[in-house]
Amino acid sequence: MSKPIGYYTNFTPGEETLLATLQDNYGAAFEKISKREKLVILTVLASHIGCQLEGDCREEIFTIAKEMIEQLTIDDQAGIMEAIIVQVRWGQNFVVPKEELPMQQ
């Protein structure tokens, strides 16, 4: 069973915020949202956060991601997503040396 939205966010019951509306409409643990819909939300939020960050991405990361899609089970892919979300949220951040980044044009 999932924990409620407030466990992961700054939501406080009784507040009139988007988080309160989400909980009212979709359940305290998003139980009224399908797995596909949750992944759409995750994709959109990850893309938005990624666009807010500075820097480039090494080409090899795209290759690794493609290999994960091709070679890992859905469960392992979800596990990788969970691990990365925890690392993004709680500050594990490797700084890529400039010489490893793609050339800027």
Side-chain angles (χ1 to χ4, degrees), residues 54-59 98-105:
E54 293 184 22
D56 292 317
C57 187
R58 294 172 282 175
E59 285 297 321
K98 290 188 182 209
E99 62 270 8
E100 293 186 26
L101 291 173
M103 297 291 292
Q104 295 286 332
Q105 294 185 16

Side-chain angles (χ1 to χ4, degrees), residues 56-105:
D56 292 317
C57 187
R58 294 172 282 175
E59 285 297 321
E60 68 191 81
I61 301 302
F62 294 101
T63 302
I64 291 167
K66 184 176 183 282
E67 289 172 352
M68 288 178 180
I69 290 169
E70 294 170 350
Q71 298 178 33
L72 297 178
T73 65
I74 296 290
D75 284 344
D76 284 344
Q77 290 175 33
I80 294 289
M81 291 168 52
E82 185 175 4
I84 289 172
I85 289 168
V86 169
Q87 293 166 7
V88 167
R89 179 137 192 226
W90 300 111
Q92 293 177 347
N93 187 36
F94 173 74
V95 177
V96 179
K98 290 188 182 209
E99 62 270 8
E100 293 186 26
L101 291 173
M103 297 291 292
Q104 295 286 332
Q105 294 185 16

Side-chain angles (χ1 to χ4, degrees), residues 10-66:
N10 291 320
F11 173 66
T12 302
E15 293 180 345
E16 292 186 27
T17 64
L18 175 59
L19 294 173
T21 301
L22 291 172
Q23 180 170 292
D24 290 345
N25 291 343
Y26 302 107
F30 291 143
E31 61 270 16
K32 296 177 186 173
I33 298 178
S34 73
K35 185 181 282 190
R36 180 180 295 271
E37 292 168 333
K38 289 172 187 172
L39 289 168
V40 167
I41 292 169
L42 183 62
T43 301
V44 171
L45 293 176
S47 178
H48 174 74
I49 291 170
C51 289
Q52 305 304 309
L53 302 175
E54 293 184 22
D56 292 317
C57 187
R58 294 172 282 175
E59 285 297 321
E60 68 191 81
I61 301 302
F62 294 101
T63 302
I64 291 167
K66 184 176 183 282

